[in-house]
Each structure stands twice: as C-alpha cells, then as structure tokens.
Amino acid sequence: MVDLAGRALGAGVVAANDEWFADKENLLLDTEPVFHPHTFGPKGQVMDGWETRRRRGASADRPHPDPGDHDWAIIRLGAAGVIRGVVVDTAHFRGNHPQSASVEAAYVPEHPSLDEVLSAGVAWTTIVPRGALHGDTAHRFPVAVERRFTHVRLNIFPDGGVARLRVHGEAVPDPDYLDGLMVDVAAAEHGGVAEAASDRFFSPPHHVNAPGRSRVMGEGWETRRRRDDGHDWVRVRLAGPSLVAAVEIDTDHYKGNAPGWIRLRAKTDGDPAEDDGWWDLLPPTRVQPDTRHRWRVAPDRPARHVRVEAYPDGGIARLRVLGRLTTAGLAELRARVRDLDARPGAAPTAR
C-alpha cells in the first residue's frame, strides 16, 4: 500500500494544537527516526518526532489532566483515498510517549483552508478507536472503514511524543480531473498499484511508481542476483483501462546493477496472475545503466495492467506509463467513487 501521508505524494501537517518540544512536521519525514542522546536545544532534548508539553490539571487540588484532555495534529493526505492501515510510531520516545491514541479521518474536497478543515461542518469519522500506546514501538492499526478521505487527525492522550505517522491505503483520484487528460496512469497518486513482483530482496516494488525521481539507489526496485535462467518482473495495476501513448523506464543510480534488457507487457482483462493474455507494449529492448529511457508506443487495445520484466535481474528506479483512461475506465472509476462516498462512516462526529 502507498503511504497516503507521504511527503513525496504531497501530504503535509496542516495544524497541531501544541508542538512545544518537537515540530509537528517531523511526523511525515520519510526517514527512519533517529536519536542522539545528550543533544539539547533551548527547549530540552532534541527529538526526531512531534512532541507536546506536559498537560496539567486546572488547579493544585486537581493537578492531573482530565482523561479527555488531549493533543492533536491534522494531516492533509497527499491523495484522496481509502485508508487500510495506520502506523503510529513512538520510536525513541520512552518516558515521554502518549498513554493512548486515536485516529479520525474526514473528506474535505478541493483545496480547503485550515479554517475550512477545522469548521464545525466537517464530519470526522473514527478509523482507529482510542487504544494504548507503548514507548519506542511501531503500532500498526488496521482500518476497516471503506470511504474516501482527504485528512486525518491524530489524537494523543493526554500528551507526549510520536516519531512518525504512516497512513497506508489506495489512492482514489477524481475522475472528472482525469477525464481526457494524458497522465501517468501507473502513478500511485492516480491509483496505480504495484501489486506483485518476482523478487523484493533489496527494495520493494512499490518504489517503481512512486512520485518524483529517485534520489538514491535504495529508492528504486532492485532484485537479488539471479543464478538461474529466469528473469525478474513487477506487475502494476493501472488507474483503470487506459490507452497508452508513451512509456518511461528509469535506471537512475543503477550503474553496475541495471538490467541488460527490459520488456514491458500489458493485459487488457482477465486474471493478471495468469500468464495468458499478456501482449507486448514494448518488446525486449536493450537498456543502459543510470539512464532515463523514453519510448512512444501505439498499442491497438487498452491496458489495465502492465508488467515490466527485467532480464535477467537488476534495478529499476521508476516506471512511467503515459496514457488516457478509456470511456469504460472513467465509468469504472466514477462508479467506485459513488459507491465509496455513499457508504456510511464509523461514528462520524462534527467538531
């Protein structure tokens, strides 16, 4: 699943009620949290995460905060989509982690201001009920609410620090925006999904349709060295049935470990796990190390899935498939959006 809260996808932390010790923006950093002991700034130990001050009660007679008191941060997702799981990571927060947390989500269309997101008319749906947190732990919470969302709110009780937040799911783009546009129909932001791969030893296949160009070799998809006569592959489900006009294979940063040849195959319908029904979008073609390759294509039928095959093995930084959704593809996407938006949420609350 793509991280809908990834900065590369365009997500951002738009608000937090408190960030006294550590900035809210740290929640979405794409690096693993780090800790350098005895590194102090004006406000104390420097922490790689979001950390609020300690809450206090209303008086000396009641010094502890009310159980309902809590801190919160609101994240604008990089793409509207269906959330399948949330990771609340308290890495390196040991004596200063929250006691518990919950996650809510909302759908606020277009490009809302912060005031619009915080307005009383926005309905927030609980997607992760309040549950206990532990220090220095990556907590993985499944989400079963089948709706489209654009924003999430992380609530921590009563206060403390969280290193990272990940919101895994499927992007569901606006069909009216895609209607007639030539876009990368394999891109994660448009609903493309790297569904399967023959090998993911060095890095995962979902990197191939990630936003932007890779910055280092580890941001692509790389397989182990094959010692047989086979070849490696990764399969991507496109945003929908599409007429493809051009493709791009980028071996950026793969210098001594790029494939020798690639082949790009497509499938119009049927089970993508079956070998029959695949046809060549690009025949076996020599590729160069550390090179951005581009080709125009003119297939005589739409593609729903593509499979990039690496001969015999190696690394591919990015795959781009430029095309337009077919009339049937747009109809499918519109039907899915209508179905998702019509489904009830789980205990929505307007705030």
Side-chain angles (χ1 to χ4, degrees), residues 6-289:
R7 281 292 295 162
L9 204 62
V13 186
V14 297
N17 71 311
D18 188 285
E19 49 182 330
W20 178 264
F21 286 113
D23 296 340
K24 63 185 185 298
E25 286 81 9
N26 290 337
L27 282 170
L28 305 189
L29 293 179
D30 61 2
T31 55
E32 290 297 314
V34 297
F35 179 71
H36 301 290
H38 307 295
T39 305
F40 294 97
K43 295 183 178 180
Q45 169 69 46
V46 176
M47 297 298 294
D48 186 9
W50 168 54
E51 186 181 2
T52 67
R53 73 190 81 190
R54 302 187 189 212
R55 283 181 168 265
R56 299 303 187 207
S59 67
D61 295 332
R62 190 168 62 86
H64 295 289
D66 183 277
D69 287 348
H70 70 282
D71 293 320
W72 52 266
I74 294 178
I75 292 87
R76 180 195 66 244
L77 301 179
V82 179
I83 300 171
R84 302 297 186 188
V86 173
V87 179
V88 179
D89 190 351
T90 58
H92 307 299
F93 288 98
R94 293 183 173 90
N96 50 351
H97 60 279
Q99 183 181 33
S100 60
S102 69
V103 182
E104 299 168 285
Y107 181 78
V108 191
E110 303 298 335
H111 308 95
S113 67
L114 179 57
D115 287 342
E116 290 170 325
V117 174
L118 295 174
S119 69
V122 172
W124 290 89
T125 297
T126 299
I127 61 172
V128 177
R130 182 173 174 177
L133 295 184
H134 305 284
D136 198 29
T137 302
H139 306 80
R140 293 170 172 82
F141 301 104
V143 174
V145 182
E146 194 83 5
R147 294 287 303 276
R148 273 199 313 164
F149 295 113
T150 57
H151 293 74
V152 297
R153 174 161 47 198
L154 171 63
N155 302 305
I156 58 172
F157 299 87
D159 51 41
V162 174
R164 298 288 188 270
L165 177 72
R166 305 294 185 229
V167 182
H168 298 294
E170 305 166 32
V172 181
D174 179 0
D176 291 334
Y177 174 75
L178 294 183
D179 191 353
L181 281 186
M182 178 79 69
V183 299
D184 179 5
V185 289
E189 63 185 307
H190 296 139
V193 179
E195 293 184 319
S198 60
D199 186 284
R200 56 186 75 204
F201 187 82
F202 288 110
S203 46
H206 70 259
H207 283 179
V208 297
N209 67 331
R213 298 193 70 193
S214 63
R215 296 168 295 182
V216 294
M217 189 171 65
E219 291 188 355
W221 166 65
E222 184 184 0
T223 71
R224 74 190 80 195
R225 301 184 189 213
R226 295 192 75 99
R227 305 304 188 191
D228 57 24
D229 294 331
H231 66 274
D232 289 315
W233 54 267
V234 59
R235 187 181 76 230
V236 177
R237 185 183 76 230
L238 304 180
S242 304
L243 292 173
V244 180
V247 297
E248 178 180 313
I249 301 287
D250 193 351
T251 58
D252 204 14
H253 305 298
Y254 292 106
K255 299 175 181 178
N257 51 352
W261 293 262
I262 62 94
R263 184 183 190 182
L264 187 62
R265 312 200 77 196
K267 196 166 190 174
T268 304
D269 48 35
D271 185 352
E274 298 293 334
D275 287 334
D276 61 321
W278 290 92
W279 45 273
D280 277 348
L281 193 56
L282 187 73
T285 303
R286 181 87 183 188
V287 293
Q288 301 301 319

Side-chain angles (χ1 to χ4, degrees), residues 300-341:
D300 58 359
R301 65 196 113 167
R304 183 185 293 268
H305 289 82
V306 296
R307 188 172 70 193
V308 57
E309 301 178 352
Y311 292 85
D313 53 30
I316 294 174
R318 294 291 186 269
L319 165 71
R320 304 299 185 209
V321 181
L322 301 180
R324 290 187 178 89
L325 287 178
T326 65
T327 301
L330 283 166
E332 281 186 18
L333 182 56
R334 286 197 171 98
R336 187 183 184 204
V337 168
R338 284 196 301 269
D339 177 62
L340 290 171
D341 292 350

